[in-house]
């Protein structure tokens, strides 16, 4: 391995090691939360709703839950890891190393991405054991999930870098992300909503992400798949470019 | 002629608040020197160190570490520097051993070398028994040892010690100075800031006074005392900060 490869592997290992050390909080809690959603919405409500667009209700809900766990965990990991290290001053050890802005950004991003991937993967395995979950379009599902994970990793990095206190991170997660995800159609179809809520849902970017992942699993979508994939790719690339610029400038990282 | 270990020219650092922490600092430190930078709190010592190690971005001027520009060629410049900061900026999630291992990884050191170097430094700094403990459980003195061990972990050619003995007991202070003198004799260049003037006087080849963001005097301790027309380094320092009335020579002994 070259010195640069060792450096990048170490930066990444540190991020993964951090959440693995507090597994109960970083992996256990989100898994339990997802399991509770499946129980409440799938078993309890599902017995009344039965089907949506010809799909068993619990199967309709699970793709959105998998996408949600990938997104929230990618975001939460990176935002709190960066803010915590800024608080402790420990981030100075990485910042004063020869690591480039790109290496630092990718390592912080992949930490959250890995956590999201693990939680989403375990959710998928658990859901597959409970219900018959199809995978209809794997070539849409895999890139969609990876783009969702990477997008929220970037959002987590951006929030962590900008944040000056834990309240700043909690604000984005509680007052921005959670409402957008819940109102993006994880638990229902937007076509069932009365106006103007049906139209308003189309302005929620997470609606398109949920539809991409749902299409990958069950083959049903309310939006254009190519257009949604294109928009998600563009948004992820845009956010990555913004973060790279902030890291290169040392924004709120270097005095 | 060998490159200076550290060459700083007309360094200016202006913070976004408008505060000018460094106002045209120039400084040369030869390879193998043990150099002290003294000055009152807020004089600009830490800012100068942060600019050298990439933790702050200079507004103007240049910094070269063994000939490598700290901005344009930051990778090579930072590879040559080890920093023991004033703050105990350890990562609470990491163990003592991980702290050293990760630091060396950030600097591209291969695994086997990291393992050997970690073992050597744990012994040198009497940390072997604490190797598996998380850093937050260490006493202040142990944290200080670990910070110095981390700074030398990647075998830097220039070691920067920012008030390394602040708040440590006499025994540890002497231990640290013995170690610093030893590695200096082995060829490591050392830049030290301290408030213990007698230590700077005894340990260092040359001393610079910094005040209000400017170097106001430079030389051996006797040269500095001569420049201010006083008997010793402490009185020269008091003259610098305008507190001559505190000189021990003016204190009347009451019998």
């Amino acid at each position: 391995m070259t010195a640069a490869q060792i450096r990048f592997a170490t930066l990444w290992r540190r991020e993964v090691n951090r959440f693995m050390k507090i597994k109960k909080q970083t992996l256990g809690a989100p898994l339990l939360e997802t399991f509770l959603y499946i129980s409440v919405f799938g078993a309890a409500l599902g017995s009344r709703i039965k089907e949506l667009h010809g799909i068993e209700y619990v199967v309709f809900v699970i793709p959105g839950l998998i996408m949600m766990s990938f997104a929230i965990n990618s975001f939460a990991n990176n935002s709190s890891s960066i803010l915590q290290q800024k608080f402790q001053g420990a981030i100075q050890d990485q910042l004063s190393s020869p690591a480039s802005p790109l290496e630092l950004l990718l390592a912080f991003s992949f930490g959250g991405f890995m956590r999201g991937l693990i939680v989403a993967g375990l959710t998928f395995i658990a859901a597959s054991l409970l219900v018959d979950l199809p995978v209809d379009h794997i070539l849409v599902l895999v890139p969609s999930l990876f783009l969702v994970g990477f997008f929220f990793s970037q959002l987590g990095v951006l929030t962590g870098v900008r944040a000056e206190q834990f309240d700043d991170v909690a604000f984005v997660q509680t007052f921005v992300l959670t409402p957008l995800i819940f109102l993006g159609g994880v638990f229902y179809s937007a076509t069932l909503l009365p106006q103007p809520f049906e139209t308003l849902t189309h302005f929620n970017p997470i609606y398109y992400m949920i539809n991409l992942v749902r299409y990958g699993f069950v083959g049903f979508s309310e939006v254009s798949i190519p257009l949604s994939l294109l928009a998600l790719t563009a948004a992820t690339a845009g956010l990555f470019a913004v973060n790279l610029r902030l890291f290169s400038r040392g924004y709120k990282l270097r005095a | 002629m060998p490159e200076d270990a550290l060459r700083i020219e007309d360094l200016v650092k202006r913070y976004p608040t408008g505060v000018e922490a460094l106002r045209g600092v120039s400084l040369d430190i030869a390879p193998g020197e043990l150099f002290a930078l003294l000055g009152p709190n807020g004089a600009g010592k830490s800012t100068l160190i942060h600019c050298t190690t990439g933790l702050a971005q200079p507004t103007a001027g240049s910094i070269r570490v063994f000939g490598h520009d700290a901005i344009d060629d930051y990778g090579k410049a930072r590879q040559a520097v080890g920093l023991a900061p004033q703050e105990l900026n350890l990562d609470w999630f990491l163990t003592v051993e991980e702290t050293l291992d990760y630091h060396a990884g950030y600097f591209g050191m291969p695994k086997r070398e990291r393992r050997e170097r970690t073992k050597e430094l744990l012994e040198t700094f009497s940390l072997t028994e604490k190797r598996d403990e998380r850093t937050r459980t260490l006493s202040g003195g142990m944290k200080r040892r670990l910070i110095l061990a981390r700074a030398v972990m990647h075998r830097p050619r220039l070691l920067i010690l920012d008030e390394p003995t602040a708040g440590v007991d006499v025994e540890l202070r002497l231990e640290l100075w013995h170690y610093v003198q030893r590695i200096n004799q082995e060829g490591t260049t050392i830049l030290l800031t301290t408030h213990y003037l007698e230590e700077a006087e005894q340990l260092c080849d040359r001393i610079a006074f910094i005040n209000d963001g400017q170097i106001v005097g430079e030389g051996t301790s006797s040269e500095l005392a001569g420049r201010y027309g006083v008997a010793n380094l402490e009185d020269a320092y008091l003259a610098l900060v305008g507190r001559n009335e505190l000189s021990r020579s003016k204190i009347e002994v009451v019998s």
Side-chain angles (χ1 to χ4, degrees), chain B residues 120-127 142 145 148-149 152 176 179:
Chain B
E120 175 197 333
L121 289 175
L122 287 174
E123 278 168 21
T124 304
F125 288 95
S126 311
L127 288 164
M142 287 289 180
R145 285 171 202 261
L148 187 54
V152 297
L176 295 181
Y179 181 76

Side-chain angles (χ1 to χ4, degrees), chain A residues 54-77:
Chain A
I55 301 157
E56 191 186 347
Y57 181 66
V58 69
V59 176
F60 185 87
V61 167
I62 286 171
L65 288 175
I66 290 174
M67 177 257 146
M68 184 169 89
S69 52
F70 209 149
I72 296 257
N73 283 287
S74 299
F75 172 85
N77 189 80

Side-chain angles (χ1 to χ4, degrees), chain A residues 13 56 99 146 159 209:
Chain A
R13 191 157 55 91
E56 191 186 347
F146 274 54
T159 307
M209 298 181 192

Side-chain angles (χ1 to χ4, degrees), chain A residues 14 17 21 93 249 254-255, chain B residues 54 57 91 93 98 102-103:
Chain A
R14 190 227 159 273
N17 189 11
K21 280 191 176 192
D93 204 27
R249 283 174 49 205
R254 304 178 198 274
Chain B
Q57 303 177 97
D91 191 328
F93 281 94
E98 284 169 343
Y102 284 4
H103 176 88

Side-chain angles (χ1 to χ4, degrees), chain A residues 2-4 6-8 10-11 13-15 17-18 21-22 84-85 88-101 248-251 253-255, chain B residues 13 15 50 53-57 74-75 78-79 83 85 87-95 98-99 101-103 105-111 114 134 150:
Chain A
T2 65
I6 293 170
R7 184 165 62 234
F8 184 68
T10 310
L11 288 165
R13 191 157 55 91
R14 190 227 159 273
E15 288 305 305
N17 189 11
R18 176 194 163 275
K21 280 191 176 192
I22 44 172
Q84 213 156 40
Q85 290 185 69
Q88 295 169 358
I91 202 167
Q92 290 181 354
D93 204 27
Q94 289 101 304
L95 294 177
S96 60
S97 79
S100 69
S248 301
R249 283 174 49 205
Y251 174 79
L253 293 171
R254 304 178 198 274
Chain B
K13 174 61 187 175
Y15 288 106
H50 287 174
T53 52
L55 297 176
Q57 303 177 97
Y74 66 84
R78 289 183 203 161
Q79 188 76 38
L83 169 65
E87 309 81 30
L88 299 168
N89 66 345
L90 295 166
D91 191 328
W92 300 342
F93 281 94
L94 302 185
T95 65
E98 284 169 343
T99 300
D101 182 68
Y102 284 4
H103 176 88
Y106 301 153
F107 285 79
M109 191 185 276
K111 192 173 182 180
R114 291 204 302 268
R134 290 207 187 179
R150 186 183 65 182

